[in-house]
């Protein structure tokens, strides 16, 4: 492969960056620019661009994020597709995809670090070993911890029962509880001082020093009902935390991380995806509690945006599941504003 790229050949694109990139990009969008795709069950189908055919044997899987042709055996990821079909070199394909999701390809020979990388306004890029996989692991561990903590928290269970939820629904959505206290996650992780916990948004580093002269650390989520936010693959990528009774803020979300981007994720989409297909429609509501309560009442096809307005990315994601999107917001001024934005996003 010749290197006619904008990138000097000495620079290596870190593997972890490629994983983060492929987590952010949706192959259906990438292939869809070149091939007319139609929904067929869980996958998308179209005429194979790599061999001549009259009936479609080319499939794109949104859950597995690869394309496969049953006719000629062509197969690969979004990066591979751009290389094979659009004739881009590897760095060009990576560069184009990164640009489409607002990421910057790390160009330094030494790995960049953390949320300080990149120009202001760019999304943080984590190019070192704390890859999406490592973050995904700690999110799952935290999720298990919160679920276990819920079982030992009668006040939280009482609250959920009061809201009409059964244990079955709580389990389906993986609901948990972050108990009162500043460093409860110390009991869930071998190394509470690990940077991965900070990058995952579970732990906050304070400017104040502790007794050992180290910056004090504490759990982001305290005394809250925890709603794990899953991606379409079912991995926990963030949390929403709701206070039990009073307290501010009422809802607290995970910060933006390489796994989690509020403008493109919808709460409940993973749990609702089969019901959406069955009902042939999706109900978009305002809060996590609404989603869970609706599932309890027999409307399992509901999702919620995550404290942001409904974006065109959200709408695209929903239209991939069904052709009918129903928005249901509160009748107050904020709800009407949200409805207006949602309509704009759809148009
Ligand atoms: Zn083919």
């Amino acid at each position: 492969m010749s290197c006619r790229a904008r990138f000097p050949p000495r620079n290596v694109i870190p593997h972890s960056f490629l994983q983060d990139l492929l987590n952010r990009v949706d192959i259906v969008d990438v292939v869809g620019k070149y091939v007319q795709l139609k929904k067929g069950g869980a996958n998308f189908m179209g005429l194979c661009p790599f061999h001549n055919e009259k009936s479609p044997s080319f499939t794109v899987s949104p859950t597995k994020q690869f394309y496969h042709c049953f006719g000629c055996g062509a197969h690969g990821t979004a990066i591979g597709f751009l290389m094979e079909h659009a004739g881009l070199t590897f760095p060009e394909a990576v560069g184009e995809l990164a640009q489409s999701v607002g990421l910057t390809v790390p160009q330094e020979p030494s790995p960049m670090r953390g949320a300080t990388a990149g120009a202001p306004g760019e999304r943080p890029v984590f190019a070192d070993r704390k890859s999406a996989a490592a973050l995904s692991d700690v999110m799952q561990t935290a999720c298990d911890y919160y679920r276990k903590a819920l079982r030992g928290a009668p006040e939280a269970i009482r609250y959920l029962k009061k809201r009409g939820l059964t244990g079955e629904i709580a389990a389906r959505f993986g609901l948990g509880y972050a108990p009162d206290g500043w460093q409860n996650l110390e009991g869930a992780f071998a190394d509470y001082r690990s940077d991965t916990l900070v990058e995952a948004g579970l732990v906050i580093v304070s400017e104040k020093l502790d007794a050992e002269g180290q910056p004090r650390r504490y759990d982001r989520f305290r005394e809250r009902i925890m709603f794990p936010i899953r991606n379409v693959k079912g991995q926990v990528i963030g949390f929403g935390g709701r206070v039990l009774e009073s307290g501010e803020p009422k809802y607290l979300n995970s910060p933006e991380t390489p796994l989690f981007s509020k403008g493109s994720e919808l709460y409940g989409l993973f749990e609702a995806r089969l019901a959406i297909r069955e009902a042939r429609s999706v109900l978009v509501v305002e809060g996590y509690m609404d989603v869970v309560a609706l599932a309890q009442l027999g409307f399992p096809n509901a999702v919620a945006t995550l404290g942001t307005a409904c974006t065109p990315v959200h709408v695209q994601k929903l239209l991939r599941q069904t052709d009918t999107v129903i928005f249901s917001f509160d009748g107050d001024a904020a709800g009407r504003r949200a409805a207006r934005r949602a309509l704009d996003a759809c148009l």
Side-chain angles (χ1 to χ4, degrees), residues 5-338:
R6 293 152 257 166
F7 307 93
R10 203 175 302 152
N11 287 341
V12 176
I13 301 169
H15 184 68
S16 56
F17 175 79
L18 296 177
Q19 276 182 336
D20 292 348
L21 180 63
L22 288 173
N23 274 334
R24 287 276 181 99
V25 165
D26 193 330
I27 193 169
V28 178
D29 298 332
V30 176
V31 175
K33 281 188 192 142
Y34 301 90
V35 181
Q36 206 182 343
L37 294 172
K38 260 196 190 149
K39 224 174 296 164
N43 293 330
F44 286 75
M45 307 278 306
L47 292 174
C48 179
F50 300 109
H51 83 278
N52 217 341
E53 63 176 3
K54 289 207 175 77
S55 61
S57 45
F58 179 77
T59 66
V60 180
S61 163
T63 46
K64 295 182 188 130
Q65 286 292 310
F66 62 63
Y67 66 89
H68 180 78
C69 175
F70 291 98
C72 69
H75 183 97
T77 63
I79 299 173
F81 183 84
L82 286 181
M83 291 171 69
E84 295 299 320
H85 186 258
L88 303 185
T89 63
F90 180 71
E92 282 171 344
V94 171
E96 182 164 329
L97 290 176
Q99 205 183 13
S100 75
V101 290
L103 292 178
T104 306
V105 182
Q107 304 230 18
E108 301 296 322
S110 57
M112 297 197 307
R113 280 243 20 215
T116 52
E122 282 176 351
R123 284 190 192 151
V125 173
F126 297 86
D128 62 7
R129 64 186 174 77
K130 283 172 212 65
S131 62
L135 292 174
S136 188
D137 278 353
V138 304
M139 294 308 265
Q140 187 56 53
T141 303
C143 183
D144 295 343
Y145 168 80
Y146 293 136
R147 288 187 68 171
K148 217 171 173 186
L150 177 59
R151 274 174 243 145
E155 70 280 18
I157 294 172
R158 212 176 308 126
Y159 170 82
L160 291 173
K161 279 194 177 151
K162 210 171 76 193
R163 300 293 299 246
L165 302 188
T166 59
E168 191 196 333
I169 283 285
R172 192 200 298 172
F173 285 88
L175 300 193
Y177 182 61
D180 190 14
W182 290 91
Q183 280 141 357
N184 284 309
L185 288 180
E186 232 171 0
F189 293 97
D191 181 12
Y192 187 70
R193 304 206 70 89
S194 156
D195 285 343
T196 313
L197 295 184
V198 179
E199 286 165 13
L202 294 168
V203 165
I204 294 173
V205 180
S206 154
E207 285 178 7
K208 292 185 189 141
L209 302 182
D210 63 15
E212 291 153 36
Q214 301 275 347
R216 207 176 145 259
R217 288 171 175 239
Y218 57 94
D219 297 357
R220 176 180 300 269
F221 298 102
R222 304 177 306 278
E223 222 182 341
R224 283 170 186 274
I225 299 283
M226 296 298 286
F227 298 76
I229 300 156
R230 297 172 170 134
N231 63 12
V232 283
K233 293 170 210 159
Q235 296 165 316
V236 179
I237 54 172
F239 289 100
R242 191 200 189 284
V243 289
L244 279 190
E245 296 296 341
S246 55
E248 290 294 328
K250 194 165 156 195
Y251 290 101
L252 182 68
N253 285 326
S254 289
E256 300 275 309
T257 73
L259 293 179
F260 180 53
S261 158
K262 281 172 210 155
S264 58
E265 301 297 339
L266 289 152
Y267 176 72
L269 187 56
F270 174 74
E271 290 82 358
R273 67 202 192 292
L274 297 177
I276 292 171
R277 217 162 283 150
E278 217 162 89
R280 297 192 179 175
S281 68
V282 60
L283 204 54
V284 186
V285 294
E286 282 185 83
Y288 335 107
M289 203 58 186
D290 300 333
V291 171
V292 178
L294 280 166
Q296 179 75 61
L297 294 171
F299 298 91
N301 57 328
V303 301
T305 56
L306 294 153
T308 59
C310 190
T311 65
V313 179
H314 287 140
V315 176
Q316 265 172 25
K317 241 184 193 173
L318 292 171
L319 289 178
R320 210 164 285 145
Q321 307 283 337
T322 175
D323 296 329
T324 308
V325 180
I326 302 161
F327 294 96
S328 173
F329 297 145
D330 292 348
D332 57 10
R336 258 178 268 148
R337 245 189 337 267

